[in-house]
Amino acid sequence: MFIKVLGSAAGGGFPQINCNCRNCAGVRAGLPGFRSRTQSSVAVSRDGQAWVLLNASPDLRQQVAAAPEVAPHGQAAPRHSPIKAVVLTNGDVDHVTGLLSLREGVAFSLYGTDRVLGTLAANTIFNVLDARLVPRVPLEIGEPIELANSGTSLGLTVEAFAVPGKIALYLEDPGAGPKLGSQDGDAIGLRIADSTSGAAFFYIPACASVDDALAARLREAQLVLFDGTLYRDDEMVAQGLSTKTGKRMGHISMSGADGSMAALQDLNVRRRVFVHINNSNPVLREDSVEHAKVREAGWDIAFDGMEIRL
Ligand code: MLT
Ligand code: MN
Ligand code: ZN
């Protein structure tokens, strides 16, 4: 199984269009120790030929230009794409708007929970995806499904599971109580398995906390790609970028007693990689104390173009 990180940044990317924080200014200036990052997406393939996108980033066109595997190539018909399926983990802008860049008349299968597919159905701009070419397939929580396109298996099995989290920002309903209208399953993680070899990894780009159920699920995993939005819960507030904490945004922090590094420390996960990294996160400065601490704790920090083989 081939895994390629197409975009390692959170919503907004790195640098973010309107941001002049220390990190964004640094990467814009081309300072050493910084690399730009596009918004959240991972590509996976069993055979290196047919690819599945885990989330479709607003930067998809740029990502495909940088990743020949997912661009048209070889002897196929002049109009074709190696992207045979897209699996959505939520309705966030950074995870669904790339679908609009896939509107050019090529067939692929679109997987999401009923809630996310309902959000797409309610937004008629997504009707630009021709339903005859792009079937929308419901992902049922806890029911593994073999990914396929046009009747051909892609050799990968995906299981969706609910993780602590919330609905997309633009769906928040302030009148709906403290959960803002979020329901169980509005944030999901994915377990992706090679249907033949059984090799498997977890992809969890948005997660508010690691509860007992999630910890048990991740124990002994070969590979976990995990929400690396923030290093500290209040870092955006402290930097004057936002009034929101990570907890308010539905994102666990890397550090702290209830952070992801502590939560996964004793789970015997073979490889841990942070994805969906926000531009405010000090780990994006390769010479920072925080970067060193994350590396010492045994985590990798994803970058665009990172490749992993399982
Ligand atoms: C998030 O992960 O919190 C969202 O992607 C934020 C956004 O909509 O940019
Ligand atoms: Mn996001
Ligand atoms: Zn910034």
Side-chain angles (χ1 to χ4, degrees):
M1 183 163 49
F2 301 86
I3 301 160
K4 183 154 187 166
V5 177
L6 299 181
S8 53
F14 184 50
Q16 178 170 309
I17 193 166
N18 65 335
C19 194
N20 202 29
C21 74
R22 179 176 170 193
N23 282 351
C24 288
V27 73
R28 214 173 263 124
L31 297 186
F34 290 92
R35 41 173 131 188
S36 62
R37 286 169 161 85
T38 61
Q39 296 168 80
S40 185
S41 178
V42 169
V44 56
S45 174
R46 201 198 73 77
D47 59 4
Q49 300 300 315
W51 288 82
V52 176
L53 298 185
L54 309 180
N55 292 317
S57 163
D59 302 323
L60 181 57
R61 184 176 171 282
Q62 182 184 343
Q63 293 170 346
V64 170
E69 306 90 323
V70 290
H73 60 267
Q75 303 301 317
R79 286 278 166 92
H80 73 277
S81 169
I83 298 169
K84 301 300 181 194
V86 176
V87 184
L88 302 172
T89 60
N90 59 27
D92 279 4
V93 171
D94 56 347
H95 287 163
V96 302
T97 46
L99 293 172
L100 301 175
S101 300
L102 291 170
R103 69 187 179 283
E104 310 287 3
V106 169
F108 67 95
S109 305
L110 177 57
Y111 296 85
T113 61
D114 282 336
R115 290 269 284 175
V116 171
L117 294 183
T119 299
L120 300 183
N123 282 270
T124 53
I125 194 170
F126 290 103
N127 292 348
V128 74
L129 296 170
D130 183 340
R132 288 165 303 182
L133 294 173
V134 185
R136 300 181 185 192
V137 187
L139 270 183
E140 306 292 344
I141 303 283
E143 289 180 20
I145 178 174
E146 176 105 1
L147 300 179
N149 182 240
S150 308
T152 303
S153 167
L154 300 174
L156 297 168
T157 303
V158 63
E159 179 184 353
F161 52 91
V163 298
K166 69 164 188 70
I167 40 173
L169 182 60
Y170 61 91
L171 295 172
E172 287 181 4
D173 177 2
K179 292 183 75 181
L180 305 164
S182 295
Q183 298 177 8
D184 254 15
D186 277 336
I188 60 167
L190 302 175
R191 181 180 186 273
I192 314 283
D194 180 323
S195 312
T196 311
S197 73
F201 72 100
F202 291 90
Y203 173 61
I204 309 172
C207 181
S209 62
V210 179
D211 58 16
D212 290 346
L214 180 55
R217 192 184 286 278
L218 299 183
R219 188 173 290 282
E220 312 285 341
Q222 274 179 286
L223 170 67
V224 176
L225 306 183
F226 197 78
D227 183 345
T229 308
L230 302 179
Y231 187 80
R232 264 178 44 186
D233 189 54
D234 67 349
E235 79 190 28
M236 296 189 69
V237 183
Q239 294 181 52
L241 306 175
S242 167
T243 54
K244 286 185 187 169
T245 61
K247 289 198 173 85
R248 170 63 185 80
M249 295 189 293
H251 292 293
I252 190 174
S253 302
M254 295 176 175
S255 64
D258 56 358
S260 51
M261 287 194 289
L264 270 71
Q265 189 174 354
D266 298 321
L267 298 183
N268 210 19
V269 175
R270 206 171 309 156
R271 189 160 183 201
R272 290 160 281 169
V273 181
F274 280 124
V275 294
H276 193 278
I277 304 160
N278 195 54
N279 57 81
S280 58
N281 193 321
V283 304
L284 292 176
R285 291 194 297 278
E286 287 170 15
D287 63 354
S288 68
V289 173
E290 293 86 353
H291 185 101
K293 282 191 176 160
V294 165
R295 301 286 295 130
E296 273 161 35
W299 286 76
D300 286 326
I301 298 165
F303 52 88
D304 291 15
M306 181 183 209
E307 294 178 3
I308 301 172
R309 204 166 163 173
L310 277 190

